[in-house]
Amino acid sequence: MRKIKKFFQYDNIGILFVLPAFLYMLVFVGYPILRNIILSLQDVTMANLVHGAKKFVGFQNYIELFKDAVFRTSLTNTLVFTVCCLVAQFIIGFALAIFFNKRFAISKPLRGILLVPWMIPITVTALIFKLLFATDIGVLNYILKSLHIISENIEWLTTPQTAMFALICANVWIGIPFTMILISTGLTTIPKDLYESASIDGATGVQAFFKITLPLLRPTIESVLILGFIYTFKVYDLVYVMTSGGPVNSTHMLSTYSYKLSFEMFQYSKGSAVANVLLVILMIVGIFYLRATKEENE
């Protein structure tokens, strides 16, 4: 007992504060991940989920997955969706952050209003955009027909070529405030004296942007892009509510395909394998984020 008390004195006392969070992560995060990995190495279906032998098949589920055309389509869709959303929301969010960094009368109220899309539950946003892009009662088709841009309603969510575009628009709408607020925070850390000195030396606004703003915002930009990638890559509820992966699997993401395999087709092992592929990709990105953060701190 004395040894335990002695161990937790001074520097080691921090272990006691970390222990509850560690136990929580171990039970509610670590165990499900481990259980999911084991499940992906077995052949588990509705027939033997509760009772019966669960045959160990090794990496057979993963081999079959990479031969599955729908899985390859889902992986491609996830990458395309993530990259397009990141590019669009970063450009718009960056521009808005620069704009609201200027002091004018209603800058704070406007910036607060722009944060609303980020605070609304994603399911609610998905329903709003589903109505916005609806074929017969959709607001977008109504506006386009009123302006005589189109003569017939466009089937946004039931056409493979336009369904992905609708999803990207909805996710960008959610992601812009996230990008804007992080870039705005980064801008506040740049000393104003640097811009004044550059102006005295004859630097233009464009030169100051590329020589001062962008280099000093590099850590913030890296964080925005990596965190944005993680949040976007694992998207599920937005896609499920708006398109459910359709039409013809054109908007299936890794998350929605994992759900379909597990809870609609009852192929639990293959569904777990898809989830593990998603986990591995996000872990790789997370490791890059931790390394970048560590290098900046050093």
Side-chain angles (χ1 to χ4, degrees):
M1 193 68 179
R2 290 180 179 178
K3 291 183 178 180
I4 295 175
K5 290 182 178 180
K6 187 176 180 181
F7 177 79
F8 285 115
Q9 287 179 350
Y10 307 111
D11 295 339
N12 294 327
I13 192 65
I15 297 176
L16 290 176
F17 294 99
V18 175
L19 188 60
F22 174 75
L23 293 176
Y24 175 86
M25 295 293 291
L26 189 66
V27 174
F28 293 100
V29 178
Y31 173 74
I33 290 176
L34 180 62
R35 186 70 186 88
N36 201 60
I37 293 173
I38 295 173
L39 186 62
S40 69
L41 301 176
Q42 299 173 330
D43 182 18
V44 180
T45 61
M46 179 63 78
N48 62 353
L49 176 63
V50 180
H51 302 288
K54 299 176 177 62
K55 183 181 178 182
F56 180 80
V57 295
F59 292 99
Q60 186 62 34
N61 289 317
Y62 294 93
I63 295 172
E64 292 179 3
L65 267 186
F66 283 96
K67 293 179 180 179
D68 184 1
V70 180
F71 170 77
R72 294 196 300 269
T73 300
S74 301
L75 181 59
T76 303
N77 288 343
T78 308
L79 290 171
V80 171
F81 175 80
T82 302
V83 171
C84 290
C85 288
L86 273 183
V87 171
Q89 69 191 36
F90 179 77
I91 293 174
I92 300 172
F94 196 102
L96 288 173
I98 296 291
F99 175 71
F100 285 112
N101 194 45
K102 308 294 181 181
R103 294 183 179 179
F104 56 94
I106 58 173
S107 62
K108 291 183 179 179
L110 281 178
R111 184 163 55 184
I113 292 172
L114 286 175
L115 289 176
V116 172
W118 189 44
M119 294 185 289
I120 295 176
I122 295 179
T123 305
V124 176
T125 302
L127 290 172
I128 293 172
F129 273 84
K130 190 173 184 179
L131 291 173
L132 182 68
F133 284 99
T135 303
D136 296 323
I137 60 172
V139 177
L140 187 58
N141 278 336
Y142 175 78
I143 293 173
L144 293 176
K145 289 182 74 174
S146 300
L147 296 174
H148 303 289
I149 297 176
I150 60 173
S151 57
E152 296 182 359
N153 289 330
I154 299 175
E155 297 182 357
W156 295 99
L157 299 177
T158 55
T159 305
Q161 291 75 15
T162 56
M164 181 64 75
F165 172 76
L167 287 176
I168 291 172
C169 289
N171 197 76
V172 168
W173 172 259
I174 298 169
I176 287 174
F178 172 79
T179 304
M180 183 188 72
I181 196 67
L182 289 183
I183 297 295
S184 296
T185 304
L187 288 171
T188 59
T189 63
I190 302 176
K192 301 297 181 183
D193 298 343
L194 293 177
Y195 294 104
E196 294 175 0
S197 301
S199 178
I200 293 172
D201 292 337
T204 63
V206 176
Q207 290 174 330
F209 177 77
F210 284 102
K211 297 295 184 179
I212 298 175
T213 305
L214 279 184
L216 293 180
L217 277 180
R218 180 183 172 185
T220 304
I221 292 173
E222 288 177 352
S223 298
V224 167
L225 292 177
I226 295 175
L227 291 175
F229 183 93
I230 293 172
Y231 293 148
T232 307
F233 199 82
K234 64 182 182 65
V235 66
Y236 167 76
D237 37 12
L238 182 74
V239 180
Y240 186 79
V241 172
M242 288 186 66
T243 63
S244 298
V248 200
N249 301 319
S250 61
T251 59
H252 254 316
M253 309 294 169
L254 289 178
S255 56
T256 56
Y257 189 49
S258 175
Y259 177 88
K260 180 179 179 179
L261 286 171
S262 298
F263 301 107
E264 293 182 10
M265 301 174 67
F266 305 111
Q267 298 179 13
Y268 300 108
S269 294
K270 286 187 178 180
S272 299
V274 175
N276 287 333
V277 172
L278 177 61
L279 174 66
V280 169
I281 295 173
L282 293 180
M283 283 185 64
I284 293 172
V285 176
I287 290 171
F288 278 110
Y289 174 68
L290 293 176
R291 287 185 61 184
T293 305
K294 183 179 178 181
E295 290 175 0
E296 287 160 11
N297 291 333
E298 290 176 353

